[in-house]
Amino acid sequence: MLMTNTFTMKTWDEKIVDGPEDGPRFAHAHCTFDYQGLIEGSSVCDYLLYYPGEGPAPGFERITGSVDGRKGSFVIRHEVGYSAHGVRGTFTVVPGSGTGELTGLSGVGTIEGASETMSYTFAYQL
């Protein structure tokens, strides 16, 4: 059986940190997501964005819920590229960030999509 892994943006609050509206600038985005599939749960994420450009946009995200039925939380570090055509990126579990049944979690993944619901992959070890 093929599992569909998706996450959906619930909130996106973006504010310019510095730079003119019509010129080079960077912004901070605070957002929340809901996960379905291998990861089940919700998250809080912060990105640093640069405009004009297509990334990279580094970010940290804390996911609370479960991975393959094991409950806990963990933090991932993003490197995301973005354009008018969508978002693509990779993420890595921050070493030592797992809690509960996810203590010791490590892994890497990808994200991709062009809407509020995007797909992800996640290869992990416990």
Side-chain angles (χ1 to χ4, degrees), residues 45-76:
C45 183
D46 285 280
Y47 288 111
L48 192 57
L49 308 168
Y50 171 75
Y51 296 102
E54 297 188 352
F60 284 96
E61 180 177 6
R62 181 181 194 84
I63 300 171
T64 302
S66 65
V67 173
D68 207 14
R70 294 182 174 109
K71 294 181 179 182
S73 67
F74 60 100
V75 175
I76 58 177

Side-chain angles (χ1 to χ4, degrees), residues 25-99:
R25 67 187 189 279
F26 67 100
H28 170 256
H30 178 76
C31 41
T32 59
F33 300 107
D34 282 340
Y35 280 80
Q36 297 178 336
L38 181 62
I39 301 170
E40 293 280 340
S42 59
S43 72
V44 175
C45 183
D46 285 280
Y47 288 111
L48 192 57
L49 308 168
Y50 171 75
Y51 296 102
E54 297 188 352
F60 284 96
E61 180 177 6
R62 181 181 194 84
I63 300 171
T64 302
S66 65
V67 173
D68 207 14
R70 294 182 174 109
K71 294 181 179 182
S73 67
F74 60 100
V75 175
I76 58 177
R77 185 189 190 293
H78 287 276
E79 279 296 330
V80 178
Y82 54 95
S83 71
H85 304 292
V87 175
R88 260 190 171 176
T90 60
F91 64 86
T92 304
V93 175
V94 174
S97 67
T99 67

Side-chain angles (χ1 to χ4, degrees), residues 16-18 26 28 39 52 55-57 59 66-67 85 102 106 108 111:
I16 294 173
V17 175
D18 196 24
F26 67 100
H28 170 256
I39 301 170
S66 65
V67 173
H85 304 292
L102 299 177
S106 64
V108 297
I111 65 169

